[in-house]
Amino acid sequence: MIAEPTVQPAFLPAVPLIGVGIGVARTLQLLGILFAVQSARNDRSGTAVLGLSANEYRTDGALDQNPAAWVGRIDQTTLDAACPRNGEVLTMTDQVAAEVRQSGLYRSPQDFGNKVHARIAQIVKEMDNPNFRAELSLLPERIDAFYGQRGTLRLDLLERTVPGTACIYDYKTGVRGIEPARALDLVKIVKKNFPETTRIIVIQVRPRE
């Protein structure tokens, strides 16, 4: 059994979370579940984040024996300090979702979500910023991958900040939230492809209206 973790101001220092007798891998699974549950409660008063110091993933992809991780709700000011563009991401998500909804040009809830993803990706790609990328397909082998390539994991939106922080935004427009396994897979693939990263933060994003 592990206690519910707390989030430190600006995410530093991270809180070690190793459950007695359950091991690192199982602890991270539990953190993923907790993150998924808390993300369903996101509102204007706070946002759930999953954060890990990236050094628990070694170059061979294995887990170190003493990872530092946290899950919890934080206010907007704290999130801004770690992921400066998150406010922009939220506003963009709200605006795009409203535009798609008002257009009526979607056949199902899934199609609505696909159109929101596609429009946000178009906006972000037009910014042409290598540290702010949408619909990014990554392979564990750290080789160039094309969109939709077999074996890749696709990130909805990645913000890389200085020094060494990666903020992963995962869009949800339907009833289902982020899956715990996907949240942890996102962390692993980002660390594999950006080994200089020292801190990784996962955020579920939903339209607020």
Side-chain angles (χ1 to χ4, degrees), residues 11 25 80 116 125 152:
F11 305 106
D80 287 343
V116 170
K125 288 175 181 178
T152 60

Side-chain angles (χ1 to χ4, degrees), residues 84-113:
R85 303 192 76 150
N86 81 89
E88 178 184 354
V89 171
L90 289 172
T91 298
M92 180 167 50
T93 304
D94 290 344
Q95 292 175 345
V96 169
E99 291 171 4
V100 174
R101 189 176 293 111
Q102 290 169 9
S103 75
L105 300 176
Y106 55 91
R107 299 181 299 274
S108 64
Q110 182 178 2
D111 189 38
F112 172 80

Side-chain angles (χ1 to χ4, degrees), residues 44-136:
R44 293 183 183 274
S45 65
T47 301
V49 300
L50 165 65
L52 293 95
S53 62
N55 57 2
E56 64 259 26
Y57 293 102
R58 304 201 302 264
T59 55
D60 60 2
L63 292 170
D64 284 343
Q65 293 303 306
N66 188 29
W70 61 91
V71 172
R73 283 170 57 87
I74 60 173
D75 60 32
Q76 192 64 44
T77 300
T78 305
L79 187 54
D80 287 343
C83 305
R85 303 192 76 150
N86 81 89
E88 178 184 354
V89 171
L90 289 172
T91 298
M92 180 167 50
T93 304
D94 290 344
Q95 292 175 345
V96 169
E99 291 171 4
V100 174
R101 189 176 293 111
Q102 290 169 9
S103 75
L105 300 176
Y106 55 91
R107 299 181 299 274
S108 64
Q110 182 178 2
D111 189 38
F112 172 80
N114 290 340
K115 283 182 165 54
V116 170
H117 275 74
R119 177 55 182 150
I120 291 174
Q122 179 184 12
I123 294 171
V124 173
K125 288 175 181 178
E126 288 174 354
M127 296 179 185
D128 195 24
N129 184 335
N131 292 318
F132 194 53
R133 302 174 66 182
E135 298 295 311
L136 182 62

Side-chain angles (χ1 to χ4, degrees), residues 137-183:
S137 293
L138 299 176
L139 285 165
E141 296 82 5
R142 290 187 61 200
I143 58 177
D144 291 340
F146 57 83
Y147 179 84
Q149 180 176 337
R150 184 175 181 179
T152 60
L153 182 66
R154 187 165 69 245
L155 281 66
D156 292 343
L157 186 58
L158 177 67
E159 173 190 3
R160 298 176 65 206
T161 68
V162 179
T165 296
C167 303
I168 305 169
Y169 300 93
D170 198 70
Y171 293 108
K172 298 298 176 189
T173 59
V175 176
R176 295 180 61 180
I178 189 169
E179 295 289 338
R182 173 169 170 78

